[in-house]
Amino acid sequence: MNTTTDTDAFEAARPDLLRLAYRMTGGRAEAEDIVQDAWLRWARSETGDIQNPRAWLSRTVARLSIDHLRKIKTRRETYVGPWLPEPVVTDMPVPTSEDPGHSIEIAQDVSWALMTVLETLKPEERAAFLLREAFEMPYPELAAALGKTEDACRQMVSRAKARLRDNRPRFEATDEEHETLLTAFADAARAGNVSALTRLLTPTATLTSDGGGKATAALRVMEGAEEIAKLTAHIAKTADAFEGETVPLRINGRPGFLIRTPEKIEVSYSIDVEDGRIAALYIMRNPDKLARLMDQPLGTA
């Protein structure tokens, strides 16, 4: 192994590998562990025989991620309440495109829209979609990497693209719209103003809160503006969910905010916007997933 050259090749690929592992697993710590494992394998390999280091590394990270998801399958199935990916700070907005399979967009996208769709896919389907659309891996190579036929890989990618298309917001909102709605939502919640909260939400809005059995959170996905507004006002008054310093930051590519006390981060809030109102609200209260939220933005290490 040519230490300097091969280390440079790995470090150049590291940001994309972290994003791939995070989108496969939904956890930053898991992503970092997987990328570190990939580095150890890279260091032990005859890298001079590898014609495309980025493709080799992405395949390795995908396989390690699949193995990881298989190992934690039972843990996910017994999770208390709705499961959300670990929120991450991103230093760039989520790119947008009319084509949900556009490689440039997928290569940078860690949005809730993408992450929630990926969670509905089997590990091999996630890997097929990401390797094909983010890393532009040819289907013969993809089939060899996953141990599937080319037709099976094409079907997995097609299904994933269709689900992403169906679950993306119909209209992309600007950062300013997100920030205005987030500020209005926080103000209305603190005031316990159910009517104002209801007006901020689409009639079919959803609220997904992840407490992991370690913090107060709804045990199911809530649906409907009025129900969400009542629950939000109740939690704001009884669970101190809005007590502390409000810190705006970009979470998973979109403006969001967290609330922290001197001791810890209490909660993070993110939204999807549709037609000028909040269509989906994501609340993270699991302290294990909040502990790293102020760390260096994902993929910039």
Side-chain angles (χ1 to χ4, degrees), residues 117-194:
V117 169
L118 292 176
E119 184 60 21
T120 68
L121 303 175
K122 296 178 182 178
E124 293 85 354
E125 292 176 328
R126 296 187 208 185
F129 175 68
L130 291 169
L131 290 174
R132 174 61 185 173
E133 300 304 325
F135 289 83
E136 299 181 315
M137 185 173 289
Y139 276 107
E141 189 175 344
L142 180 59
L146 298 180
K148 304 284 186 181
T149 67
E150 288 187 42
D151 285 344
C153 289
R154 291 180 188 278
Q155 290 173 7
M156 288 191 290
V157 172
S158 178
R159 284 196 298 268
K161 290 173 69 172
R163 288 191 189 182
L164 182 58
R165 186 180 299 109
D166 291 343
N167 285 275
R168 281 200 171 189
R170 288 185 298 165
F171 304 101
E172 292 293 343
T174 65
D175 280 1
E176 290 74 19
E177 288 176 292
H178 274 82
E179 291 163 359
T180 297
L181 284 167
L182 281 164
T183 299
F185 171 82
D187 290 344
R190 285 193 176 98
N193 191 331
V194 174

Side-chain angles (χ1 to χ4, degrees), residues 207-219:
L207 181 153
T208 307
S209 56
D210 181 341
K214 300 180 179 182
T216 302
L219 295 178

Side-chain angles (χ1 to χ4, degrees), residues 35-294:
V35 171
Q36 179 62 22
D37 194 352
W39 159 249
L40 295 174
R41 296 182 182 217
W42 173 253
R44 293 194 299 264
S45 300
E46 294 294 334
T47 54
D49 297 331
I50 299 173
Q51 295 183 348
N52 188 336
R54 185 171 181 266
W56 187 96
L57 288 165
S58 62
R59 287 197 306 271
T60 301
V61 166
R63 289 170 181 155
L64 290 170
S65 298
I66 290 171
D67 291 342
H68 173 78
L69 290 171
R70 287 171 176 165
K71 290 176 183 177
I72 66 168
K73 184 174 184 291
T74 300
R75 193 190 317 167
R76 288 279 178 91
E77 291 173 345
T78 58
Y79 195 81
V80 178
W83 182 92
L84 284 173
E86 178 184 348
V88 294
V89 175
T90 50
D91 54 2
M92 295 291 289
V94 170
T96 58
S97 170
E98 294 181 359
D99 176 9
H102 193 276
S103 61
I104 295 175
E105 318 304 332
I106 295 298
Q108 301 296 326
D109 193 352
V110 291
S111 66
W112 290 110
L114 177 67
M115 294 298 296
T116 53
V117 169
L118 292 176
E119 184 60 21
T120 68
L121 303 175
K122 296 178 182 178
E124 293 85 354
E125 292 176 328
R126 296 187 208 185
F129 175 68
L130 291 169
L131 290 174
R132 174 61 185 173
E133 300 304 325
F135 289 83
E136 299 181 315
M137 185 173 289
Y139 276 107
E141 189 175 344
L142 180 59
L146 298 180
K148 304 284 186 181
T149 67
E150 288 187 42
D151 285 344
C153 289
R154 291 180 188 278
Q155 290 173 7
M156 288 191 290
V157 172
S158 178
R159 284 196 298 268
K161 290 173 69 172
R163 288 191 189 182
L164 182 58
R165 186 180 299 109
D166 291 343
N167 285 275
R168 281 200 171 189
R170 288 185 298 165
F171 304 101
E172 292 293 343
T174 65
D175 280 1
E176 290 74 19
E177 288 176 292
H178 274 82
E179 291 163 359
T180 297
L181 284 167
L182 281 164
T183 299
F185 171 82
D187 290 344
R190 285 193 176 98
N193 191 331
V194 174
S195 296
L197 286 166
T198 303
R199 290 194 296 272
L200 290 170
L201 299 160
T202 64
T204 58
T206 61
L207 181 153
T208 307
S209 56
D210 181 341
K214 300 180 179 182
T216 302
L219 295 178
R220 62 178 177 86
V221 176
M222 312 294 290
E223 297 182 6
E226 188 173 351
E227 184 177 11
I228 293 172
K230 289 179 179 178
L231 176 67
T232 301
H234 174 73
I235 291 177
K237 290 180 179 178
T238 62
D240 296 329
F242 286 87
E243 295 294 327
E245 176 191 9
T246 299
V247 181
L249 73 173
R250 189 176 293 280
I251 300 175
N252 288 74
R254 293 295 187 206
F257 68 90
L258 59 83
I259 295 176
R260 67 180 177 186
T261 63
E263 293 77 26
K264 63 178 181 177
I265 299 173
E266 296 288 343
V267 60
S268 73
Y269 293 85
S270 307
I271 60 173
D272 286 339
V273 176
E274 186 175 294
D275 295 333
R277 288 190 284 179
I278 297 172
L281 181 63
Y282 307 98
I283 302 176
M284 180 57 68
R285 301 217 68 204
N286 185 333
D288 296 339
K289 296 182 180 182
L290 290 169
R292 296 165 56 86
L293 188 52
M294 296 297 288

